[in-house]
Amino acid sequence: MELQKISSKGPRNSEETAELVNRRINLLTLHLNPVQDNPVQELELLRCAGKMKAINVSTETLSEYMRGKHRDIQEEVFAYFNSRPELQTPIEISKDEHRELCMKQLVGLVREGGIRPFRYVVDDPSKYFAIAEAVGSVDMSLGIKMGVQYSLWGGSVINLGTKKHRDKYFDGIDNVDYPGCFAMTELHHGSNVQGLQTVATFDPLTDEFIIDTPNDGAIKWWIGNAAVHGKFATVFARLMLPTHDTKGVTDMGVHAFIVPIRDMKTHKTLPGVEIHDCGHKVGLNGVDNGALRFRSVRIPRDNLLNRFGDVSRDGRYTSSLPTISKRFAATLGELVGGRVGLAYSSVGVLKIAVVIATRYSLLRQQFGPPQQPEVSILDYQSQQHKLMPMLASTYAFHFATLHLVEKYSEMKKSHDEELIGDVHALSAGLKAYITSYTAKSLSTCREACGGHGYAAVNRFGSLRNDHDIFQTFEGDNTVLLQQVAGLLLKQYREKFQGGTLTVTWNYLRQSMNSYLAQPNPVTARWESEDHLRNPNFQLDAFRYRTSRLLQSVAIRLQKHSKTLGGFGAWNRCLNHLLTLAESHIESFILEKFIEAVKNCPDENSRAALKLVCDLYALDRIWNDIGTYRNVDYMAPNKAKAIHKLADYLCFQVKNIARELVDAFDLPDYVTRAPIGVQTPSEAYTQYTQNVGF
């Protein structure tokens, strides 16, 4: 208000202005670090009185267990950008400037920083994803641009092509001499890849494929790297072979082709290629998304990525896979790494948001008992219930996606069909579940930080906008959850037909048997803390819910299919199916969290993780307590005990919240000031610098 008086009362001399500014600064200082009768101490959390033994957590030890074997490469990424502040993305930047900066960041990291992500895409995927997490925390646009270059464009060449393609393109992709695109999505077809309309017709006279966009709906849309920087594109098109019958051509299904789109020297668009800029987006404006149209663009026959299907010089088609559907499934199966990366990266985004919101809640003081100092807002129950289950979920997602990355790495080496199916189901479910959860949590974190959370410098706005599309690309979340539900139903049928269940679904056999039996009236009333914190009880409860949902939706589908047909019955039960898929993924996440707790070698870190894991499990059970009560799986007294214990665990996790968020070991410039700092004085200093006092 006093600063406003300067303008309302007309010009002031410099001394008066300086006095008002100093007075305002002093008031802000008192607000952030109030005067107390007792000696001023660093803000401490109020310990919750209770019987649980206090846990002494070593941030360094816990961080070592969390970050794992690829911590060093992430430190190299952070060290590079810390040494090059001019490459750190500023708060205010135009679309065009952001795009150019993003390209400079990628080229600098690879050529100057010596980080070569492409070399790990196939040989060591877990290392690649660790780099992607670190890069995405610096700037999410950079993380996506790197993913387009190496995982999508580069990954399609390596995974769908053969040795001749790797030999020709690997080095250029690796050092960013060959920036490229992944042109799958069309204006009229996104999720339905089998419905793509772009065509690649083989011309036996010239030994070339002719790439054509037959109509406006077939224009390749939202193609990253296309608008400005891309020189090549992996174009997904229907392979058409000439025949001697009345049809004239035979459709061999969707295949991938390498299509040059710009001249290597002049960077001008090549003949027959039309490129349009998709313009300013809600987020990720450092990525140059564009639209591609092809008008009889000719490419050599060798540009067909021919791992799963090839065309000879005389126009004969050969494949080790007998049908279009099998070739299509194999092609998409090799591209599952994109979903793995998005799930893993989404956890990285959630970590940043939780760190910022938790640290702010530790330092921000509001109200308190009469004649007493104000207390940390994290001492309020409402704030704890917003953030502590979220912090627990972040840990749970971390271990679940680590397991997914390990399984994906194993799959790339073994090519085991059963493992391929497991990774496909897990990547679809985890990508859908985690990105949806993170999107909601970003808004919660912003709200938990009040007005300060609305400042752009505190990253919530950019994180929310940049991450939002994670719910759509690499598979719309609703579509992916339906895939998981479909696979569950397939396993359900095999269970009753005596088939062998694959690893991921093994628990269904025992859980379905348990579900089909009546709930035990004795265990339904057990309410001791030891019982409720027993991982066997928690996992059984999660799996029981999944089995119940699976059994009931199978009955509903069978009933409705008689009158509505298969498609109509599926649509009638769609929300039920989505809930089933989410329940299955939650069961998997809890299972991996429990394993991570057991495998932690340090006793104090293990105790902290057990506390967090219990909060994750009981909070989820309480949120769906109606399901358990409806079938008397839990008696009223047990439900009440779960609510009470979950509330108590929130307090306990709050007491070690600082150590838990510090264990993520994110650099200061990633979490940003003023919210992402430790003490009120640091917050004030950086806040005044950023705002311009």
Side-chain angles (χ1 to χ4, degrees):
M1 290 299 294
E2 291 181 275
L3 289 177
Q4 292 175 358
K5 294 177 184 177
I6 297 175
S7 57
S8 63
K9 292 189 177 182
R12 301 279 186 119
N13 60 43
S14 59
E15 292 183 0
E16 291 176 318
T17 301
E19 182 181 354
L20 285 173
V21 170
N22 288 332
R23 190 184 309 166
R24 178 60 173 161
I25 289 174
N26 288 333
L27 287 172
L28 283 170
T29 305
L30 290 172
H31 177 66
L32 288 166
N33 200 5
V35 175
Q36 304 177 25
D37 294 333
N38 302 323
V40 177
Q41 299 177 349
E42 185 178 350
L43 182 63
E44 292 284 346
L45 289 172
L46 298 179
R47 298 285 174 181
C48 176
K51 59 184 177 181
M52 195 175 292
K53 182 181 177 181
I55 300 173
N56 296 316
V57 185
S58 167
T59 298
E60 184 177 352
T61 303
L62 179 56
S63 181
E64 187 70 31
Y65 181 63
M66 292 284 291
R67 295 282 292 277
K69 59 183 179 180
H70 297 308
R71 179 172 181 164
D72 290 345
I73 193 73
Q74 291 188 319
E75 293 294 345
E76 289 180 38
V77 173
F78 292 139
Y80 173 73
F81 284 104
N82 195 42
S83 69
R84 295 292 303 274
E86 72 277 11
L87 290 181
Q88 295 177 24
T89 308
I91 300 301
E92 297 183 34
I93 186 171
S94 69
K95 169 177 65 67
D96 294 338
E97 290 172 334
H98 197 179
R99 288 174 171 181
E100 290 309 311
L101 175 61
C102 216
M103 191 63 174
K104 288 178 182 177
Q105 290 171 330
L106 180 59
V107 171
L109 182 68
V110 170
R111 298 179 185 174
E112 183 182 346
I115 308 291
R116 295 297 182 99
F118 193 42
R119 301 179 183 184
Y120 308 118
V121 168
V122 174
D123 295 336
D124 193 353
S126 62
K127 195 168 188 176
Y128 171 78
F129 290 126
I131 295 171
E133 180 188 21
V135 167
S137 67
V138 173
D139 185 333
M140 223 180 299
S141 286
L142 173 60
I144 296 302
K145 194 170 188 70
M146 189 187 89
V148 170
Q149 175 67 13
Y150 295 128
S151 181
L152 296 181
W153 152 236
S156 62
V157 172
I158 296 299
N159 293 317
L160 302 182
T162 49
K163 184 178 184 298
K164 63 182 178 182
H165 300 109
R166 288 191 287 272
D167 292 345
K168 183 175 181 178
Y169 292 100
F170 187 95
D171 289 342
I173 295 172
D174 182 45
N175 61 24
V176 207
D177 282 341
Y178 293 173
C181 316
F182 184 81
M184 177 181 281
T185 299
E186 294 179 356
L187 187 58
H188 284 180
H189 289 89
S191 298
N192 182 14
V193 180
Q194 283 186 298
L196 296 180
Q197 299 178 63
T198 301
V199 294
T201 306
F202 181 63
D203 183 353
L205 297 178
T206 61
D207 196 26
E208 295 173 318
F209 286 103
I210 305 170
I211 310 297
D212 264 309
T213 303
N215 54 64
D216 290 348
I219 295 172
K220 297 296 182 180
W221 204 263
W222 291 124
I223 309 303
N225 264 0
V228 179
H229 298 125
K231 295 182 184 295
F232 297 88
T234 295
V235 176
F236 288 80
R238 313 193 75 81
L239 195 163
M240 313 297 286
L241 289 180
T243 59
H244 300 291
D245 56 19
T246 55
K247 292 183 179 179
V249 292
T250 300
D251 184 348
M252 305 305 296
V254 174
H255 288 63
F257 304 82
I258 296 176
V259 182
I261 59 174
R262 288 188 175 91
D263 187 273
M264 288 298 296
K265 294 181 179 179
T266 66
H267 202 63
K268 290 184 178 179
T269 304
L270 292 174
V273 179
E274 296 178 7
I275 302 176
H276 300 278
D277 196 327
C278 287
H280 200 277
K281 307 183 293 291
V282 171
L284 296 177
N285 282 298
V287 182
D288 51 314
N289 292 87
L292 299 172
R293 183 167 198 151
F294 304 100
R295 298 185 186 274
S296 299
V297 176
R298 289 180 173 268
I299 59 172
R301 178 170 55 89
D302 278 351
N303 282 27
L304 166 66
L305 293 172
N306 61 337
R307 178 179 172 187
F308 298 115
D310 202 1
V311 176
S312 65
R313 176 66 184 84
D314 59 359
R316 286 185 299 173
Y317 185 86
T318 57
S319 174
S320 59
L321 301 171
T323 64
I324 288 177
S325 61
K326 286 187 178 295
R327 292 193 292 270
F328 179 75
T331 298
L332 292 192
E334 286 300 320
L335 303 176
V336 74
R339 292 174 184 169
V340 176
L342 279 181
Y344 194 80
S345 297
S346 184
V347 179
V349 175
L350 185 58
K351 287 176 185 176
I352 296 171
V354 168
V355 168
I356 295 171
T358 301
R359 286 181 176 172
Y360 177 76
S361 298
L362 285 163
L363 73 88
R364 178 69 164 177
Q365 301 175 30
Q366 289 289 284
F367 307 108
Q371 308 303 316
Q372 296 292 322
E374 291 186 308
V375 301
S376 158
I377 62 173
L378 198 56
D379 286 328
Y380 289 99
Q381 187 184 61
S382 57
Q383 193 78 347
Q384 292 165 15
H385 280 248
K386 285 180 184 177
L387 297 180
M388 294 304 96
M390 189 189 300
L391 178 56
S393 296
T394 307
Y395 269 81
F397 298 166
H398 170 86
F399 292 116
T401 52
L402 274 184
H403 176 82
L404 174 62
V405 167
E406 289 171 2
K407 285 295 181 185
Y408 176 77
S409 301
E410 184 182 339
M411 180 199 81
K412 296 299 290 183
K413 294 175 182 177
S414 69
H415 301 288
D416 179 77
E417 288 190 9
E418 184 177 298
L419 190 56
I420 290 172
D422 279 347
V423 171
H424 170 72
L426 287 177
S427 61
L430 287 172
K431 182 269 181 184
Y433 186 88
I434 292 173
T435 57
S436 293
Y437 184 93
T438 299
K440 295 180 180 72
S441 297
L442 287 166
S443 291
T444 301
C445 286
R446 204 293 303 158
E447 294 165 12
C449 294
H452 288 305
Y454 199 61
V457 71
N458 296 318
R459 298 201 70 183
F460 290 125
S462 61
L463 288 173
R464 184 168 54 188
N465 290 347
D466 288 345
H467 177 273
D468 193 62
I469 194 62
F470 279 39
Q471 300 172 92
T472 302
F473 58 30
E474 292 295 331
D476 176 85
N477 284 357
T478 303
V479 174
L480 294 182
L481 288 175
Q482 289 180 72
Q483 291 181 15
V484 175
L487 290 167
L488 277 163
L489 286 163
K490 179 182 177 182
Q491 296 291 332
Y492 171 81
R493 287 192 295 270
E494 290 188 7
K495 179 248 186 289
F496 286 104
Q497 291 170 0
T500 301
L501 302 186
T502 57
V503 175
T504 303
W505 320 88
N506 253 337
Y507 77 85
L508 286 174
R509 188 179 300 279
Q510 182 178 354
S511 295
M512 286 302 301
N513 291 336
S514 173
Y515 167 67
L516 293 173
Q518 291 296 319
N520 188 323
V522 177
T523 58
R525 286 168 172 75
W526 287 354
E527 58 178 285
S528 70
E529 182 178 326
D530 288 342
H531 169 66
L532 298 181
R533 297 191 67 189
N534 187 317
N536 292 329
F537 156 71
Q538 296 166 0
L539 202 50
D540 284 347
F542 274 53
R543 290 172 170 177
Y544 179 88
R545 179 183 55 166
T546 302
S547 298
R548 179 180 182 275
L549 288 165
L550 179 55
Q551 168 79 357
S552 56
V553 80
I555 294 172
R556 288 187 65 204
L557 285 169
Q558 186 176 26
K559 172 187 173 183
H560 290 304
S561 62
K562 295 176 182 177
T563 55
L564 300 176
F567 182 86
W570 186 272
N571 192 39
R572 175 67 64 88
C573 301
L574 187 52
N575 286 336
H576 192 159
L577 290 160
L578 297 178
T579 303
L580 165 65
E582 289 175 342
S583 178
H584 168 68
I585 294 302
E586 286 181 349
S587 298
F588 171 81
I589 291 170
L590 178 60
E591 177 188 353
K592 295 307 156 188
F593 200 172
I594 290 170
E595 289 179 7
V597 173
K598 291 180 180 178
N599 294 334
C600 183
D602 177 69
E603 182 180 355
N604 286 335
S605 296
R606 187 167 59 252
L609 290 174
K610 179 66 170 73
L611 181 67
V612 176
C613 183
D614 289 340
L615 174 58
Y616 172 79
L618 295 180
D619 180 71
R620 287 295 190 284
I621 291 173
W622 174 251
N623 287 339
D624 201 23
I625 198 66
T627 296
Y628 298 104
R629 286 289 303 116
N630 283 343
V631 293
D632 290 326
Y633 186 80
M634 295 179 189
N637 66 306
K638 188 169 188 173
K640 184 177 180 180
I642 288 172
H643 185 212
K644 184 177 179 181
L645 181 56
D647 187 53
Y648 177 63
L649 293 173
C650 257
F651 281 100
Q652 294 298 328
V653 171
K654 181 263 297 186
N655 288 337
I656 56 171
R658 186 189 298 276
E659 291 83 357
L660 290 172
V661 297
D662 287 352
F664 293 141
D665 200 20
L666 297 173
D668 290 340
Y669 65 84
V670 168
T671 52
R672 298 263 174 92
I675 290 179
V677 292
Q678 296 284 338
T679 66
S681 59
E682 288 174 337
Y684 173 71
T685 300
Q686 296 196 38
Y687 185 77
T688 53
Q689 288 174 353
N690 283 316
V691 174
F693 278 97

